[in-house]
Amino acid sequence: MDFDVIVIGGGPAGCFAAKHIAAHGFRVLILEEHDLVGEPVQCAGLLSRRAIELSGVSSKILINELKGARVYSPLGACLELAGGRTWAAAVDRSMFDRELAEQAQAEGAFLLTGTRVRELEQTPGGYLVSCGCKKQKDISFSTRLVVGADGAKSRAARWLNLQPGAYKAVICAADSELNRTCTGLADIFLGREFSPGWFGWIIPLDHKRCRIGAGYAFIREACSPRYCLNELINRFPDHFRGIRIVRYTGGTVPMGLMPKIYSDHAMLVGDAACQTKPISGGGIYLGLRGAQMCAAVAVQALDEDDLSQARLARYQELWHREFGGEIRSGISHRLNYSNLDDHEIDTILRFLNKPFWQKTILEQGDIDFPSWLSRSLSGAGPWKTKFLKGMLGVLNWGSALKSSMNLNCADLEQEV
Ligand SMILES: Cc1cc2nc3c(=O)[nH]c(=O)nc-3n(C[C@H](O)[C@H](O)[C@H](O)COP(=O)(O)OP(=O)(O)OC[C@H]3O[C@@H](n4cnc5c(N)ncnc54)[C@H](O)[C@@H]3O)c2cc1C
């Protein structure tokens, strides 16, 4: 069976790329190893309005709207960022994925679930894709173009000899029952002891249900992610009193700019291509944008019957142009944040807990483009010097330019 394009992985990035390629009349097949698209869920399901609009999914996926967050330091400071604007929505991630798969099928793409890709073999005109199937005999398909959308631990990237991202966050998360009075704000917890290099969170779904998580990043394995989550719960007993874990989830978020996300007759997209935000670990918006760029280049290359890497390199150019700076900035903030000790994090949060900063963050902050906030504040008159000393990163869920910018906490303490 011949296809123009085979997409490995029926997650959001794979389905979105498939949809946009199939819409141009090409024969597209999505291969998904699980029986049901969207399961199991390994995501906190927090999306910006921009991501939801881009995806074109229905409002049925929306569970709760968040108007801000409270950011807690390990030593008790709290930076409250609450405004009238909706920053993000908690969604039903499983339904989100399924709707994207339906969109792709509506454009003519074929979806085969319960089918795991086991091997790629290069042929003169593309690839032979060999799969193991749960319900039938093992099967092979030939294709002109392979799109590797198989997530954080992409085997497609390995088969294609494409070097993975340099960094990762390893996270333990859980769906939980927890009584809360405030459902409009997320809680973010910073601290080296329970989330070195990363952060912990509570995302409320309603007055009784929430998603929680914690993990580590940018360090060699120091502790297990489950330890991080347990430690978070122990250190903030007031926030987690009476919690009942319904289901553990979690996973890995790959981060960084990969040297190459294409090769002859092949492209990577989504987590497989490290299309994630180093500040928050969110990957859906970037994965959808990556999928659009991948599809745009693929459609032209298929039309011209030129699927050489020289032709597909355009995809990476587009990716770097839109997100290269954002990802580089996020990585640099995260690396420097991982050098802060708990006392420094506390001092910075106390400093920022003032109307001027709160207003600025609420007006300029954007969860898809955290660097916009840094950029606009870096030129903000009297605050410039302090910005350059590294406070701004903390607004982006705790990053700071400490080592590269010589953060001097004594200065900040005076201000506090
Ligand atoms: C704990 C956690 C919380 C997160 N929270 C958020 C959040 O709140 N907001 C956000 O934007 N992002 C979040 N992310 C990131 C987000 O989940 C990913 O960026 C997103 O799922 C990437 O989509 P994808 O389509 O690239 O990959 P995936 O969603 O991982 O899909 C890949 C698909 O490929 C399939 N597959 C893998 N190998 C094969 C194979 N050999 N053959 C066939 N099929 C295969 C898998 O079964 C899977 O369905 C979170 C991640 C983690 C780990």
Side-chain angles (χ1 to χ4, degrees):
M1 276 185 272
D2 293 335
F3 287 89
D4 293 309
V5 180
I6 287 186
V7 178
I8 307 175
C15 289
F16 212 53
K19 168 188 167 179
H20 286 286
I21 300 171
H24 288 261
F26 293 106
R27 267 172 67 80
V28 180
L29 172 65
I30 306 166
L31 298 170
E32 168 54 49
E33 64 182 345
H34 291 105
D35 292 336
L36 196 59
V37 166
E39 298 286 350
V41 174
Q42 291 180 300
C43 182
L46 199 64
L47 298 187
S48 64
R49 187 184 295 271
R50 184 188 292 111
I52 294 167
E53 281 172 9
L54 177 65
S55 70
V57 297
S58 71
S59 57
K60 279 190 280 182
I61 66 146
L62 298 177
I63 300 177
N64 187 26
E65 292 199 335
L66 295 169
K67 303 232 181 265
R70 289 177 296 217
V71 187
Y72 294 94
S73 90
L75 305 181
C78 171
L79 170 62
E80 181 156 329
L81 303 167
R85 177 163 66 102
T86 297
W87 277 46
V91 305
D92 181 329
R93 171 65 203 267
S94 180
M95 197 189 288
F96 177 79
D97 286 22
R98 282 199 298 281
E99 285 205 12
L100 289 177
E102 282 162 16
Q103 287 180 15
Q105 288 172 285
E107 292 293 353
F110 298 91
L111 169 67
L112 209 51
T113 54
T115 307
R116 173 171 229 210
V117 176
R118 288 204 176 128
E119 204 181 344
L120 292 182
E121 189 187 320
Q122 200 154 11
T123 60
Y127 277 93
L128 186 70
V129 181
S130 303
C131 314
C133 298
K134 286 185 185 161
K135 292 182 194 141
Q136 50 186 316
K137 279 198 303 190
D138 290 356
I139 191 166
S140 296
F141 304 97
S142 58
T143 183
R144 295 162 69 197
L145 175 68
V146 163
V147 173
D150 52 342
K153 295 182 180 163
S154 172
R155 293 210 295 164
R158 258 182 284 145
W159 291 325
L160 297 166
N161 281 323
L162 297 174
Q163 205 181 309
Y167 308 99
K168 64 178 178 180
V170 184
I171 298 164
C172 179
D175 296 337
S176 312
E177 287 172 1
L178 180 67
N179 288 333
R180 266 176 86 96
T181 42
C182 167
T183 58
L185 299 180
D187 288 337
I188 305 293
F189 303 92
L190 305 178
R192 285 188 79 91
E193 295 300 320
F194 54 86
S195 261
W198 203 240
F199 59 96
W201 70 83
I202 300 177
I203 296 173
L205 301 182
D206 53 34
H207 288 291
K208 292 195 176 302
R209 293 177 305 148
C210 65
R211 295 173 182 153
I212 64 169
Y216 62 86
F218 297 94
I219 53 163
R220 290 194 188 283
E221 263 156 82
C223 49
S224 80
R226 180 74 76 93
Y227 170 86
C228 293
L229 188 60
N230 289 340
E231 210 41 31
L232 170 69
I233 293 171
N234 292 338
R235 277 169 187 267
F236 292 89
D238 290 349
H239 294 263
F240 291 95
R241 187 154 292 125
I243 190 163
R244 191 178 83 79
I245 306 280
V246 176
R247 184 174 65 135
Y248 280 104
T249 62
T252 301
V253 178
M255 290 176 288
L257 274 181
M258 283 170 62
K260 214 163 150 231
I261 54 174
Y262 62 91
S263 71
D264 282 325
H265 296 269
M267 301 160 101
L268 298 178
V269 75
D271 277 15
C274 257
Q275 292 172 335
T276 60
K277 294 174 275 189
I279 294 296
S280 66
I284 304 228
Y285 176 65
L286 271 63
L288 296 180
R289 282 295 294 134
Q292 282 185 314
M293 293 175 200
C294 166
V297 173
V299 164
Q300 286 176 1
L302 287 161
D303 271 337
E304 294 161 13
D305 200 16
D306 177 3
L307 294 152
S308 65
Q309 42 177 325
R311 182 70 186 85
L312 301 181
R314 175 77 184 136
Y315 167 44
Q316 180 152 315
E317 281 168 32
L318 293 175
W319 176 251
H320 281 203
R321 188 184 301 165
E322 188 165 329
F323 289 103
E326 191 65 46
I327 289 175
R328 266 190 289 270
S329 147
I331 293 284
S332 131
H333 287 316
R334 274 268 160 238
L335 283 171
N336 288 299
Y337 170 70
S338 60
N339 287 325
L340 292 180
D341 64 29
D342 283 355
H343 178 69
E344 289 167 324
I345 295 171
D346 185 78
T347 304
I348 293 168
L349 283 188
R350 284 178 199 278
F351 179 86
L352 295 171
N353 198 25
K354 297 189 180 105
F356 174 84
W357 287 101
Q358 288 161 315
K359 185 167 173 280
T360 310
I361 300 162
L362 287 166
E363 281 173 6
Q364 309 285 334
D366 186 307
I367 67 165
D368 292 326
F369 295 94
S371 74
W372 290 355
L373 177 63
S374 321
R375 222 178 299 148
S376 71
L377 283 176
S378 67
W383 304 98
K384 197 170 176 177
T385 320
K386 290 186 175 63
F387 168 79
L388 288 173
K389 285 185 177 174
M391 296 168 296
L392 254 288
V394 167
L395 310 181
N396 299 326
W397 305 147
S399 306
L401 302 167
K402 184 200 171 200
S403 50
S404 64
M405 296 293 190
N406 248 341
L407 175 68
N408 181 349
C409 259
D411 286 357
L412 294 184
E413 274 168 22
Q414 279 184 359
E415 293 280 345
V416 172

